Short mmCIF file of all heavy atoms in Angstrom, two decimals:
data_model
loop_
_atom_site.label_atom_id
_atom_site.label_comp_id
_atom_site.label_asym_id
_atom_site.label_seq_id
_atom_site.Cartn_x
_atom_site.Cartn_y
_atom_site.Cartn_z
N ARG I 11 148.32 144.27 140.98
CA ARG I 11 148.53 143.51 142.22
C ARG I 11 147.34 143.69 143.16
O ARG I 11 146.84 142.74 143.76
CB ARG I 11 149.82 144.04 142.88
CG ARG I 11 150.00 143.66 144.33
CD ARG I 11 151.24 144.34 144.89
NE ARG I 11 151.24 145.76 144.61
CZ ARG I 11 152.34 146.52 144.52
NH1 ARG I 11 153.50 145.98 144.70
NH2 ARG I 11 152.26 147.80 144.27
N GLU I 100 163.31 147.53 151.96
CA GLU I 100 163.14 147.99 150.57
C GLU I 100 163.52 149.46 150.43
O GLU I 100 164.04 149.87 149.40
CB GLU I 100 161.69 147.78 150.10
CG GLU I 100 161.46 148.29 148.68
CD GLU I 100 160.17 147.80 148.03
OE1 GLU I 100 159.41 147.04 148.66
OE2 GLU I 100 159.95 148.17 146.86
N SER I 195 161.52 135.21 142.31
CA SER I 195 160.88 136.05 143.33
C SER I 195 160.17 135.13 144.31
O SER I 195 159.26 134.38 143.91
CB SER I 195 159.85 136.98 142.71
OG SER I 195 160.43 137.74 141.67
N ASP I 213 159.56 137.08 137.03
CA ASP I 213 158.93 138.16 136.27
C ASP I 213 159.84 138.59 135.13
O ASP I 213 160.99 138.17 135.04
CB ASP I 213 158.54 139.34 137.17
CG ASP I 213 159.73 140.12 137.68
OD1 ASP I 213 160.87 139.62 137.61
OD2 ASP I 213 159.53 141.26 138.15
N LYS I 215 161.26 141.98 133.33
CA LYS I 215 161.33 143.42 133.63
C LYS I 215 161.46 144.30 132.38
O LYS I 215 161.05 145.46 132.39
CB LYS I 215 162.51 143.68 134.56
CG LYS I 215 162.31 143.01 135.93
CD LYS I 215 163.26 143.53 136.97
CE LYS I 215 162.92 143.00 138.36
NZ LYS I 215 163.28 141.59 138.57
N GLY I 227 157.85 148.20 135.01
CA GLY I 227 157.37 147.65 136.29
C GLY I 227 157.20 146.15 136.22
O GLY I 227 157.02 145.50 137.24
N GLY I 228 157.24 145.57 135.02
CA GLY I 228 157.06 144.13 134.85
C GLY I 228 156.08 143.85 133.74
O GLY I 228 154.96 144.35 133.76
N TYR I 270 159.56 140.07 150.28
CA TYR I 270 159.78 139.66 148.88
C TYR I 270 161.28 139.51 148.71
O TYR I 270 162.00 140.51 148.76
CB TYR I 270 159.20 140.74 147.99
CG TYR I 270 159.52 140.74 146.50
CD1 TYR I 270 158.54 141.01 145.57
CD2 TYR I 270 160.80 140.52 146.01
CE1 TYR I 270 158.81 141.06 144.21
CE2 TYR I 270 161.08 140.56 144.65
CZ TYR I 270 160.09 140.83 143.77
OH TYR I 270 160.37 140.88 142.43
N GLU I 284 167.83 141.63 145.97
CA GLU I 284 167.14 142.75 146.64
C GLU I 284 166.04 142.19 147.51
O GLU I 284 165.62 141.05 147.35
CB GLU I 284 166.51 143.68 145.60
CG GLU I 284 165.45 142.97 144.77
CD GLU I 284 164.62 143.88 143.86
OE1 GLU I 284 164.85 145.09 143.86
OE2 GLU I 284 163.75 143.35 143.17
N ASN I 286 162.09 143.36 148.75
CA ASN I 286 160.99 144.30 148.76
C ASN I 286 160.14 143.96 149.98
O ASN I 286 160.28 142.87 150.56
CB ASN I 286 160.18 144.22 147.47
CG ASN I 286 161.01 144.65 146.27
OD1 ASN I 286 161.78 145.61 146.35
ND2 ASN I 286 160.90 143.93 145.17
N ARG I 288 156.70 143.90 150.23
CA ARG I 288 155.30 143.89 149.76
C ARG I 288 155.13 142.77 148.74
O ARG I 288 156.11 142.15 148.33
CB ARG I 288 155.02 145.22 149.09
CG ARG I 288 156.13 145.46 148.04
CD ARG I 288 155.94 146.60 147.14
NE ARG I 288 157.13 146.80 146.34
CZ ARG I 288 157.49 146.10 145.28
NH1 ARG I 288 156.75 145.09 144.86
NH2 ARG I 288 158.61 146.35 144.63
N PHE I 289 153.89 142.54 148.34
CA PHE I 289 153.62 141.60 147.25
C PHE I 289 154.26 142.14 145.96
O PHE I 289 154.22 143.35 145.70
CB PHE I 289 152.12 141.48 147.01
CG PHE I 289 151.37 140.68 148.04
CD1 PHE I 289 150.69 141.32 149.08
CD2 PHE I 289 151.33 139.30 147.98
CE1 PHE I 289 149.97 140.58 150.03
CE2 PHE I 289 150.62 138.55 148.92
CZ PHE I 289 149.94 139.19 149.94
N GLY I 290 154.82 141.26 145.14
CA GLY I 290 155.42 141.69 143.87
C GLY I 290 154.34 141.93 142.82
O GLY I 290 153.25 141.37 142.88
N ASP I 291 154.67 142.77 141.87
CA ASP I 291 153.75 143.08 140.77
C ASP I 291 154.57 143.00 139.49
O ASP I 291 155.52 143.79 139.34
CB ASP I 291 153.19 144.49 140.99
CG ASP I 291 152.08 144.85 140.03
OD1 ASP I 291 151.90 144.14 139.03
OD2 ASP I 291 151.39 145.85 140.28
N PRO I 292 154.34 142.05 138.58
CA PRO I 292 153.15 141.22 138.41
C PRO I 292 153.27 139.79 138.94
O PRO I 292 152.48 138.93 138.51
CB PRO I 292 153.01 141.19 136.90
CG PRO I 292 154.41 141.15 136.38
CD PRO I 292 155.21 141.97 137.38
N GLU I 293 154.19 139.50 139.87
CA GLU I 293 154.26 138.13 140.38
C GLU I 293 152.96 137.70 141.05
O GLU I 293 152.49 136.56 140.90
CB GLU I 293 155.41 137.99 141.39
CG GLU I 293 156.80 138.05 140.78
CD GLU I 293 157.37 139.45 140.82
OE1 GLU I 293 156.59 140.42 140.76
OE2 GLU I 293 158.60 139.57 140.93
N ARG I 381 151.01 150.23 132.73
CA ARG I 381 150.58 148.83 132.63
C ARG I 381 149.06 148.84 132.78
O ARG I 381 148.53 149.31 133.78
CB ARG I 381 151.25 147.99 133.71
CG ARG I 381 152.73 147.77 133.38
CD ARG I 381 153.38 146.87 134.37
NE ARG I 381 153.45 147.44 135.69
CZ ARG I 381 153.80 146.76 136.78
NH1 ARG I 381 154.10 145.48 136.68
NH2 ARG I 381 153.86 147.35 137.96
N1 LIG S 1 158.19 142.56 139.99
C1 LIG S 1 159.06 143.37 140.71
C2 LIG S 1 158.47 144.08 141.83
O1 LIG S 1 157.35 143.87 142.23
O2 LIG S 1 159.18 144.91 142.40
#
Side-chain angles (χ1 to χ4, degrees):
R11 164 185 50 206
E100 178 165 0
S195 305
D213 71 344
K215 296 195 172 74
Y270 168 138
E284 62 171 359
N286 295 320
R288 52 171 172 78
F289 285 99
D291 188 346
E293 289 94 329
R381 287 184 294 170

